[in-house]
Amino acid sequence: EQTSIMSGDKRTGGIAWAGSLVGSENPKNLGYRYSNPAKRYRKEGENEEEHKLPTNLVIQFRNRQGEELADNLDVPTESSVDDLQALVRALLEQQEDGDNAKIPYSFYAKVEKNGVMDDVEITHRLSDFLNENNFSTEDVLQLTYQPLAVFRVRPVTRCTDTMPGHTEAILHVSYSPDGKHLASGGGDTTVRFWDVNTSLPRYTCKQHKNHVLCTAWSPDGTRFASCDKNGVLILWDPTNGKPIFSKKAHRQYITSLSWEPMHLNGGKCERLVTSSKDSTCKVWNVRTQQCLLTLSGHTDSVECIRWGGEGFLYSASRDRSIKVWTMKDGDVAGKLVRSLKGHSHRVNTLALSTDYVCRTGPFDHRGTPFTSKEEAFQAAVEKYKNFLQQGHERLVSGSDDYTLFLWHPTQEKHPIKRLTGHQQAVNHIAFSPDGRYFASASFDKKVKLWNGFSGDFLSTLTGHVGPVYQVAWSSDSQYLVSASKDSTAKLWEVPTGKRARATLPGHADEVFALDWSPNGASVATGSKDRTIKIWKC
């Protein structure tokens, strides 16, 4: 028996630890046993033939609002996602005028997991989904279809420019909503504007007296705000690099700021909100240069603030709570609507499903110019209405307790789901532009990908050898890029790739800052090595 094992007999499964007594009490047992794979893996009463699915299945297509597209359809169980897309396009063309032939679709089915109904995406064939989820072929399979981005962003893989200039670590890089301007801020107290086409500096702005901690473009792209460690807020004109106004906004350093979305308040883009270590948030009118409201209610530093698309403010604090404030027309401005509680440690970061559509305002991948503010406002309203067809605004929070929570903050104060898996503090979260996924970056060196509707875990993206600081999505939601302490950025394909599609090396130190241009053309990374690198396809 010993010789047949060594010679590689096909029936041999290998050697395993037996776990019984070894030594004087049982001298014949050396502590190992030989296993036979045929015996080991076959279940009792299992047939030799694989369980076969029927050749056809009855399905029903619905949109996100639950409206049925057609009667029940009998389709082959081997149908792929491409087959389902062709079927939906054919059905839509009978009902709608327009060019539906180019629109790709994703498909979701409701599956009960641990007593909760979750949306599961069909990624390959119907047969794969049926086998993985033990779905009965005797039932009608309800498939929800959702349109995806028509355009495709090419994956960035090569460094085209390295831009020196900063004299300390770069903490922020961000593209303007139309992707035509790039701004950066960092530890050298300067804000710098760069020419996207030539990758040369345009303006260096030196009004700050301390580290620039947070920056943000207005959704119409005409103004840029930056805040520093002294609590000073400065508004800039990116066309000439000059400050429009400067204000001592808070007693302690400012942690976060967010602009009012363009589809609200008549498209004026004149209000923004700041949060601070002094445990308050303040709403500012940049036209009148006045503080409109002070939101006090948190008992510790406010770490993150978001102005949502529905007219609510969301503030996350070290006091472990998230507060929802209303700024909607007709409501008492600044009224506390609800507190979201669940985290057992400080809340570091927030992400909204509407973040991308609010950030980019009226602009899209086509780069259409607008002749008037009214035209841009109408485009922003239309864009937001189209996005809202997929359902209510969703919020995800990340914390030092290693968990994330998914909320419907405009509807209720209880979380939809608690998401576990990270083994260290969660640094940053970002929703994909189409709202189908969100990604979380953590000090555990991992990026995790989640279903944007149900909060289901999808995959762990492993490859970084240091904490991951930030993630950014391509505008077509097909790619994700992450920045890490290991001095690299990595490009991932979503949702299929668990290993990095490409590594973007070249920085000599930690990569703190990251942004993917809204027009999809390039990625910018900012590092502790005091340089910005531009990456293109």
Side-chain angles (χ1 to χ4, degrees):
E1 191 179 338
Q2 193 91 355
T3 54
S4 72
I5 287 163
M6 297 304 289
S7 64
D9 185 349
K10 287 182 181 176
R11 293 184 59 76
T12 304
I15 301 173
W17 178 251
S20 56
L21 291 171
V22 179
S24 58
E25 307 235 353
N26 192 1
K28 289 184 180 177
N29 187 1
L30 300 176
Y32 299 96
R33 63 177 169 79
Y34 299 106
S35 60
N36 183 325
K39 289 180 181 175
R40 188 171 27 162
Y41 291 119
R42 191 177 301 150
K43 292 180 185 173
E44 216 168 326
E46 188 176 63
N47 295 330
E48 290 288 332
E49 288 186 32
E50 191 183 334
H51 173 63
K52 290 183 178 176
L53 290 166
T55 54
N56 280 37
L57 172 72
V58 178
I59 63 169
Q60 167 76 68
F61 286 122
R62 294 183 176 185
N63 62 15
R64 274 278 164 206
Q65 289 72 46
E67 297 162 357
E68 295 181 358
L69 178 58
D71 295 333
N72 291 356
L73 300 165
D74 196 26
V75 299
T77 49
E78 288 301 313
S79 300
S80 65
V81 171
D82 290 340
D83 298 332
L84 296 175
Q85 287 183 10
L87 189 53
V88 166
R89 288 191 202 113
L91 292 166
L92 284 170
E93 278 186 340
Q94 293 167 8
Q95 296 181 0
E96 298 175 9
D97 295 326
D99 187 12
N100 294 313
K102 297 176 183 175
I103 301 176
Y105 291 89
S106 61
F107 299 92
Y108 298 86
K110 289 205 176 294
V111 173
E112 188 170 340
K113 291 184 179 178
N114 304 321
V116 179
M117 295 301 286
D118 277 337
D119 279 335
V120 175
E121 187 173 1
I122 314 287
T123 52
H124 298 295
R125 296 182 177 277
L126 282 176
S127 55
D128 298 335
F129 166 80
L130 297 172
N131 286 325
E132 287 167 13
N133 296 282
N134 297 323
F135 190 87
S136 170
T137 52
E138 294 185 5
D139 295 330
V140 176
L141 178 61
Q142 305 280 356
L143 288 183
T144 304
Y145 66 93
Q146 181 184 340
L148 305 179
V150 180
F151 61 98
R152 282 286 171 266
V153 171
R154 292 181 182 175
V156 295
T157 49
R158 63 191 176 95
C159 179
T160 57
D161 296 283
T162 299
M163 307 190 311
H166 282 283
T167 56
E168 285 292 332
I170 294 162
L171 303 177
H172 294 277
V173 291
S174 57
Y175 284 96
S176 60
D178 57 7
K180 293 179 180 175
H181 304 281
L182 177 67
S184 61
D188 62 359
T189 77
T190 66
V191 169
R192 290 170 188 259
F193 293 98
W194 307 84
D195 188 309
V196 170
N197 298 317
T198 62
S199 295
L200 292 172
R202 294 187 69 196
Y203 307 108
T204 300
C205 313
K206 299 183 177 179
Q207 271 74 5
H208 283 292
K209 300 289 184 281
N210 211 328
H211 294 10
V212 179
L213 295 182
C214 48
T215 59
W217 288 89
S218 63
D220 61 3
T222 59
R223 283 159 292 190
F224 183 77
S226 61
C227 301
D228 67 22
K229 206 172 174 182
N230 289 347
V232 174
L233 163 69
I234 301 181
L235 192 73
W236 307 91
D237 183 345
T239 59
N240 58 24
K242 292 181 178 174
I244 297 169
F245 79 84
S246 176
K247 269 264 193 279
K248 170 75 173 172
H250 289 271
R251 296 194 309 277
Q252 290 175 279
Y253 65 78
I254 297 172
T255 55
S256 179
L257 78 145
S258 183
W259 286 85
E260 180 177 34
M262 192 170 174
H263 62 270
L264 301 174
N265 197 27
K268 295 175 187 171
C269 289
E270 62 182 22
R271 296 192 294 186
L272 60 83
V273 60
T274 56
S275 65
S276 168
K277 190 175 186 290
D278 64 14
S279 74
T280 67
C281 304
K282 293 187 179 182
V283 179
W284 302 86
N285 186 312
V286 296
R287 180 175 53 82
T288 62
Q289 303 180 15
Q290 297 296 314
C291 175
L292 302 177
L293 292 166
T294 300
L295 309 175
S296 52
H298 285 293
T299 56
D300 207 336
S301 169
V302 183
E303 298 293 292
C304 189
I305 187 81
R306 282 281 184 277
W307 199 315
E310 297 292 285
F312 293 100
L313 301 177
Y314 308 100
S315 58
S317 168
R318 286 192 189 183
D319 66 12
R320 309 193 303 277
S321 73
I322 300 156
K323 293 193 184 296
V324 183
W325 319 80
T326 181
M327 288 295 292
K328 293 174 80 169
D329 292 339
D331 285 354
V332 178
K335 184 178 80 172
L336 179 64
V337 178
R338 56 182 67 86
S339 286
L340 313 178
K341 293 181 179 176
H343 284 293
S344 57
H345 211 304
R346 60 189 264 186
V347 186
N348 294 323
T349 179
L350 297 175
L352 287 164
S353 58
T354 55
D355 272 345
Y356 186 83
V357 73
C358 292
R359 169 197 169 177
T360 52
F363 303 104
D364 60 14
H365 64 284
R366 290 186 288 265
T368 311
F370 297 101
T371 54
S372 67
K373 282 192 172 182
E374 180 60 31
E375 186 186 353
F377 168 61
Q378 292 303 331
V381 170
E382 191 62 30
K383 188 173 158 191
Y384 186 76
K385 273 185 185 172
N386 291 337
F387 182 84
L388 219 60
Q389 288 178 2
Q390 61 178 242
H392 297 297
E393 188 170 61
R394 287 154 280 136
L395 175 75
V396 177
S397 55
S399 165
D400 269 13
D401 64 8
Y402 311 170
T403 69
L404 301 93
F405 277 88
L406 175 64
W407 315 81
H408 282 169
T410 59
Q411 308 294 311
E412 53 182 326
K413 65 179 182 179
H414 300 293
I416 305 302
K417 200 164 194 174
R418 180 173 181 261
L419 316 176
T420 59
H422 280 297
Q423 294 169 338
Q424 287 198 45
V426 179
N427 253 335
H428 185 240
I429 308 167
F431 261 94
S432 62
D434 61 10
R436 293 166 63 213
Y437 310 109
F438 58 90
S440 56
S442 167
F443 273 102
D444 65 8
K445 310 174 190 171
K446 306 283 194 299
V447 176
K448 288 187 184 291
L449 201 62
W450 314 81
N451 182 310
F453 297 103
S454 64
D456 274 0
F457 168 74
L458 297 177
S459 61
T460 299
L461 311 180
T462 55
H464 282 296
V465 293
V468 187
Y469 291 140
Q470 206 175 338
V471 290
W473 289 86
S474 63
S475 48
D476 65 350
S477 305
Q478 298 293 313
Y479 296 99
L480 179 72
V481 67
S482 56
S484 168
K485 187 178 180 176
D486 65 12
S487 81
T488 70
K490 286 186 185 291
L491 175 77
W492 315 85
E493 200 164 344
V494 177
T496 52
K498 295 186 180 180
R499 292 178 58 194
R501 167 85 178 253
T503 297
L504 312 181
H507 281 296
D509 214 328
E510 308 177 33
V511 184
F512 287 137
L514 179 70
D515 196 21
W516 200 316
S517 170
N519 62 20
S522 58
V523 167
T525 54
S527 169
K528 195 178 175 182
D529 70 4
R530 309 188 292 281
T531 66
I532 296 169
K533 285 186 183 291
I534 303 296
W535 308 84
K536 294 185 180 177
C537 66

